Amino acid sequence: QVRLVESGGGSVQAGGSLRLSCTYSDTRYCMGWFRQAPGKGREAVATLSGTGGQTYYRDSVKGRFTIDRDYERKTLHLQMNNLKPDDSAMYYCAVAPGTYCDPYSAQYGSWGQGTQVTVST
């Protein structure tokens, strides 16, 4: 079984920052952040390998978002800077088995409950 708990979402004005957190119960898995806005499908935001040496970012967040992992606290983070209204969505932490962790290679099928991010103008 996989246990994932997200936190850190909230409401912020454009240009602001948020830091999302996800606690997990195991190691040596691919992990990532996905998001889903109303009326849209779920999309990958960023992923990280089990060792933290491989990252993926979708083009629209590259340079603004940073994914990182705290192994001592077993916590995954997503630092979100210069937020835009298009970033508004429910953000989910996810886990996948395997070595290649980009969303095109790994099968992310285990999800947390999500944390809401709302960015206003």
Side-chain angles (χ1 to χ4, degrees), residues 57 59 61-66 81:
Y57 297 95
D59 287 343
V61 309
K62 193 170 185 178
R64 299 189 296 119
F65 291 9
T66 302
N81 297 327

Side-chain angles (χ1 to χ4, degrees), residues 51-120:
T51 61
Q54 176 194 357
T55 59
Y56 160 87
Y57 297 95
R58 70 180 303 107
D59 287 343
S60 63
V61 309
K62 193 170 185 178
R64 299 189 296 119
F65 291 9
T66 302
I67 187 171
D68 64 273
R69 194 169 188 164
D70 185 331
Y71 291 94
E72 293 289 339
R73 298 179 181 271
K74 294 192 290 185
T75 304
L76 182 74
H77 297 286
L78 184 67
Q79 180 66 45
M80 309 163 67
N81 297 327
N82 192 24
L83 284 161
K84 304 176 180 179
D86 285 347
D87 295 319
S88 297
M90 184 72 74
Y91 282 71
Y92 298 90
C93 178
V95 171
T99 302
Y100 299 97
C101 300
D102 66 85
Y104 309 104
S105 301
Q107 297 184 12
Y108 290 89
S110 299
W111 310 91
Q113 82 288 350
T115 184
Q116 181 67 48
V117 172
T118 302
V119 184
S120 60

